[in-house]
Amino acid sequence: MSDTKLLVLGSLTEFTELVRKAESRGIKTVVVDANPGTDAKKYASRSYDADIRDTETVASIAKQEGVTAITTSFSDLLLEEAVKIADRAGLPYHLKPEQIPFYRDKGVMKRTLQSLGLSSPNGCVLHEPFDENELAGLHFPLVIKPLDLYGSRGICIAKTAEDARIHFQKMTQLYPDMHAMLAEEYQSGNEYNVQCWVRNGIVHVLGICDREKTEFIPGTIPFSTRNVYPSRSVETILDPARELLQKYIGATGQKDGPLCMQCFADPVNGVCVNEIAARFLGYEHELLEDACHVSLEDLLIAAAEGNDQEVDKILEECRPLGDGYAAVLYFWAKEGRLADLGVAKELCSHPQVRLSELFYSEGETVGPVGERPYFARYHIAAESRAELEQLTAELTGRMSAKDDQGNEMIYKTEEVSD
């Protein structure tokens, strides 16, 4: 039986395996978030339905339960609140409140990158009242996005200054406390996710994936449709990405814990940072386990326990260049009333689908793209890239969902060529 009593912030499907593994190791878990009846809570020793943004309440729960450690990951909101709760409850954690802006405030992030001479898309911070002169020197189209929202909320592509003005006004109406947004030149190159662990101030790359996207609606941000580990370019990106992140944490002061980056890269311009976060990216931990032989759950649990020997062993055995191939396929749907999910459900039982999740049920109304995380996702694995491509083509070709008029609702995913 472990002496650790672990507060887990978050209880959706991403946390189920983490809680199960912790409990199997004799660690008592206390799972907290506002979602009742979720899977992770069913496996926990104790659980509470409480808003994670209520720092005082969750910190009180931690003290009442006698927890000795805290962990979370997979979203910016969870990370930020975990930092605040850990600080309030006196729990060890890999960040302090004063470090949050380096990972949550896009303006602070961009200024830090610039001060270090690290590449990021050209841009500026727009202020209220909107002044199009602030966009002088930037080339359209521009990506307009909030400085501190999460989950890709509030992002649009502006082809003109008037587009930027309209979106800015819309966002300030939705979020009255928002007085500034970030404008950046749109990047159309290859995009990558980089997942890492920081150990004693040293960045260890766990894996790099190709982040493939499709533009479903003209003028909007392309949506993620497939992430593949390892990336086709992993051998050329790994060292530059690691060196860039090493410089960044040198400025932020992060010494341990998870670290991720979304970036663009090409042979001419090198690595260009889109975003850096002190957490793991969601819906990819199974891919890293299949392709790179590293368990993010094991890392998070070992770090929470303070088991440095196990952390070192996990990092030593990780294969960032890949020792297999894995991908997650994301599907998106058009707006309408969902009547037939038959094919989507059949694909969940496909012999080569490792994990699947449908985000809608028959009879529900599908809202605008991005309202929910996805329409559906499927996790697949293969021994070769060719086999993975063949399986991807089969599943994307078969995927279907119909509205009550018999019309196809699934957006067609673009094929990505080598």
Side-chain angles (χ1 to χ4, degrees):
M1 180 70 67
S2 172
D3 293 332
T4 301
K5 193 167 189 180
L6 183 61
L7 174 63
V8 179
L9 211 62
S11 72
L12 298 180
T13 54
E14 289 282 89
F15 292 94
T16 302
E17 187 63 15
L18 188 150
V19 172
R20 291 178 64 178
K21 279 192 170 186
E23 290 283 341
S24 71
R25 292 166 61 149
I27 298 172
K28 297 296 184 183
T29 59
V30 180
V31 177
V32 179
D33 70 8
N35 302 297
T38 47
D39 257 6
K41 288 181 176 177
K42 296 174 185 176
Y43 292 101
S45 295
R46 296 292 298 272
S47 67
Y48 291 83
D49 300 335
D51 189 339
I52 61 169
R53 294 168 293 187
D54 186 344
T55 304
E56 291 300 324
T57 294
V58 182
S60 296
I61 291 171
K63 292 176 181 178
Q64 172 187 320
E65 289 289 345
V67 302
T68 58
I70 182 173
T71 194
T72 192
S73 202
F74 313 128
S75 87
D76 289 328
L77 179 63
L78 286 169
L79 170 69
E80 180 173 352
E81 299 307 320
V83 174
K84 295 176 183 176
I85 292 162
D87 185 67
R88 187 71 183 87
L91 298 171
Y93 202 54
H94 67 283
L95 291 185
K96 295 295 184 183
E98 59 269 22
Q99 295 171 294
I100 291 177
F102 290 107
Y103 302 100
R104 288 287 282 126
D105 187 317
K106 295 178 178 64
V108 172
M109 185 181 301
K110 181 168 285 292
R111 290 194 296 274
T112 303
L113 289 166
Q114 289 172 343
S115 72
L116 296 170
L118 302 176
S119 177
S120 65
N122 292 328
C124 68
V125 176
L126 303 176
H127 299 89
E128 188 181 30
F130 177 86
D131 182 353
E132 65 181 60
N133 291 325
E134 295 177 85
L135 301 175
L138 298 183
H139 296 91
F140 287 91
L142 299 176
V143 177
I144 312 297
K145 53 188 175 181
L147 291 173
D148 60 358
L149 288 184
Y150 57 92
S152 299
R153 286 165 171 79
I155 299 179
C156 88
I157 292 180
K159 294 184 177 179
T160 66
E162 183 61 19
D163 289 345
R165 179 193 306 279
I166 291 171
H167 185 66
F168 193 101
Q169 291 174 345
K170 176 183 175 183
M171 294 305 296
T172 53
Q173 289 171 1
L174 288 172
Y175 304 97
D177 294 334
M178 180 180 295
H179 302 293
M181 296 187 73
L182 183 65
E184 292 182 332
E185 293 180 354
Y186 180 74
Q187 304 292 302
S188 58
N190 294 331
E191 193 169 357
Y192 305 91
N193 285 346
V194 183
Q195 304 250 39
C196 307
W197 187 268
V198 181
R199 174 83 170 100
N200 291 331
I202 303 298
V203 174
H204 299 263
V205 177
L206 306 177
I208 300 175
C209 83
D210 294 315
R211 189 167 186 245
E212 301 172 359
K213 305 167 83 173
T214 299
E215 182 181 325
F216 298 129
I217 305 170
T220 64
I221 295 289
F223 284 82
S224 293
T225 47
R226 189 175 74 150
N227 289 354
V228 183
Y229 282 92
S231 164
R232 293 181 178 88
S233 306
V234 61
E235 292 190 19
T236 57
I237 294 175
L238 191 146
D239 286 339
R242 178 170 48 209
E243 291 167 9
L244 185 155
L245 288 169
Q246 192 68 55
K247 290 181 181 178
Y248 193 77
I249 66 166
T252 70
Q254 182 180 352
K255 298 298 183 184
D256 290 286
L259 182 70
C260 73
M261 174 171 64
Q262 292 185 337
C263 64
F264 300 90
D266 63 56
V268 176
N269 301 309
V271 177
C272 180
V273 177
N274 183 25
E275 191 164 1
I276 297 173
R279 61 176 176 87
F280 290 133
L281 296 167
Y283 299 127
E284 293 186 13
H285 48 149
E286 301 94 351
L287 308 185
L288 281 157
E289 195 154 1
D290 279 340
C292 304
H293 296 303
V294 60
S295 166
L296 303 190
E297 288 87 359
D298 287 344
L299 263 175
L300 290 170
I301 293 168
E305 281 191 295
N307 190 337
D308 294 341
Q309 186 175 0
E310 183 178 357
V311 170
D312 289 337
K313 184 173 185 293
I314 293 169
L315 295 176
E316 182 181 346
E317 294 178 351
C318 177
R319 298 291 178 264
L321 296 180
D323 193 19
Y325 296 84
V328 59
L329 310 182
Y330 297 126
F331 291 94
W332 304 83
K334 303 169 186 175
E335 295 183 47
R337 185 177 181 277
L338 182 61
D340 184 0
L341 261 176
V343 174
K345 290 178 180 177
E346 285 178 14
L347 295 184
C348 293
S349 301
H350 189 288
Q352 288 177 276
V353 169
R354 302 286 190 93
L355 184 83
S356 60
E357 186 171 5
L358 304 181
F359 292 84
Y360 289 87
S361 302
E362 289 167 340
E364 283 193 284
T365 297
V366 178
V369 174
E371 183 179 72
R372 295 193 187 177
Y374 310 97
F375 181 83
R377 68 181 180 105
Y378 300 89
H379 164 211
I380 58 177
E383 293 184 2
S384 69
R385 186 88 187 207
E387 181 187 354
L388 194 75
E389 298 298 344
Q390 184 177 8
L391 181 55
T392 296
E394 177 190 350
L395 295 176
T396 54
R398 290 178 56 188
M399 180 60 174
S400 176
K402 301 292 180 66
D403 65 16
D404 47 14
Q405 302 299 313
N407 299 311
E408 182 59 62
M409 296 181 68
I410 300 297
Y411 280 107
K412 182 176 175 57
T413 298
E414 291 180 358
E415 293 185 11
V416 178
S417 57
D418 288 332

